[in-house]
Amino acid sequence: MALIKNGVVSYAGAVIDTWDHCWADGMVEETALVWELEKHEYKTVQIGYYAADGHDFVGIKAEIEVSMEVARDILRTMKTSALQSFCRSVREKKERIEPGITAQVVRGRKIPKGTVLEVFWVGEKPTYTGYGTEMIAGCKDKEGNKVWIKAEYLKNITPLKSPKAAERKKYMKWYVERNAKLLVLQAAKGA
């Protein structure tokens, strides 16, 4: 079915899940998770708010049901989001300062800008004011001298290997399983 209030049906075939929340004052709030086909996103709808005597102030009845159209739309949306997230993760990896990379100094005054360093350690140390921490990179220059520099002063210049199709598929599968409701997937298989 769907959400029903005073005979009016809404979100037909798009009710994913319902849950209750008990408040400290004895009230119980009931919420439904629905899928909006037009916006391609999840939405929560309050369907019940019960007093201690059982009176429902909202009065919406809900039955969990997922149509094939909704399940397909959710999966299509999740796959698009997964691809965008994968591209973002590849860019972030390219910019990350971590042990084993080659980095170039882009800021600072003790080590000349443009110096190429091999990073062998990255960690945190307290700032000179004592409030908070900052990331420090332990590096070696081409002569083998150890240099300690703030990680924000470095730029990763290690050539990044292009991700393989299998890596992309594995990431997308993980993303969809993590973000799409398992209930939707089960309903799509069962329908």
Side-chain angles (χ1 to χ4, degrees):
M1 271 303 274
L3 301 182
I4 304 168
K5 182 172 184 174
N6 300 331
V8 177
V9 176
S10 59
Y11 298 107
V15 180
I16 311 297
D17 197 7
T18 61
W19 64 89
D20 298 335
H21 179 77
C22 298
W23 293 97
D25 61 358
M27 303 293 272
V28 177
E29 180 179 14
E30 192 175 16
T31 308
L33 180 68
V34 297
W35 181 259
E36 287 197 352
L37 273 172
E38 298 79 27
K39 294 183 179 179
H40 306 289
E41 63 184 17
Y42 287 111
K43 179 181 177 183
T44 56
V45 178
Q46 185 180 21
I47 58 174
Y49 196 71
Y50 300 95
D53 63 356
H55 177 71
D56 185 5
F57 292 102
V58 179
I60 299 177
K61 302 293 179 225
E63 293 181 19
I64 297 174
E65 179 189 31
V66 180
S67 68
M68 285 302 289
E69 178 187 9
V70 169
R72 284 186 186 116
D73 189 53
I74 291 171
L75 288 174
R76 194 176 312 115
T77 303
M78 286 297 136
K79 285 181 180 178
T80 303
S81 298
L83 189 56
Q84 291 171 347
S85 178
F86 179 73
C87 293
R88 198 170 27 256
S89 72
V90 169
R91 280 194 311 269
E92 288 172 359
K93 175 139 180 75
K94 174 65 178 149
E95 296 170 1
R96 193 175 308 138
I97 302 299
E98 55 190 16
I101 66 159
T102 304
Q104 183 177 27
V105 178
V106 293
R107 209 172 127 198
R109 47 190 177 99
K110 293 182 180 178
I111 302 170
K113 293 176 188 166
T115 304
V116 177
L117 304 169
E118 294 291 325
V119 179
F120 66 85
W121 180 85
V122 176
E124 290 185 21
K125 78 166 195 139
T127 59
Y128 72 94
T129 61
Y131 297 105
T133 59
E134 59 189 2
M135 296 300 291
I136 300 295
C139 307
K140 288 185 180 179
D141 60 10
K142 58 184 171 183
E143 287 85 34
N145 300 322
K146 289 184 180 178
V147 177
W148 302 93
I149 186 170
K150 289 184 180 182
E152 65 187 61
Y153 292 177
L154 298 174
K155 177 183 176 187
N156 185 345
I157 59 170
T158 303
L160 182 66
K161 293 179 184 174
S162 181
K164 296 181 177 152
E167 293 175 25
R168 187 185 73 242
K169 286 179 183 177
K170 181 179 176 184
Y171 182 91
M172 290 178 68
K173 182 179 177 186
W174 168 82
Y175 184 92
V176 170
E177 286 177 356
R178 180 175 159 255
N179 292 305
K181 292 289 186 179
L182 292 177
L183 184 59
V184 175
L185 298 174
Q186 291 169 355
K189 289 177 185 176

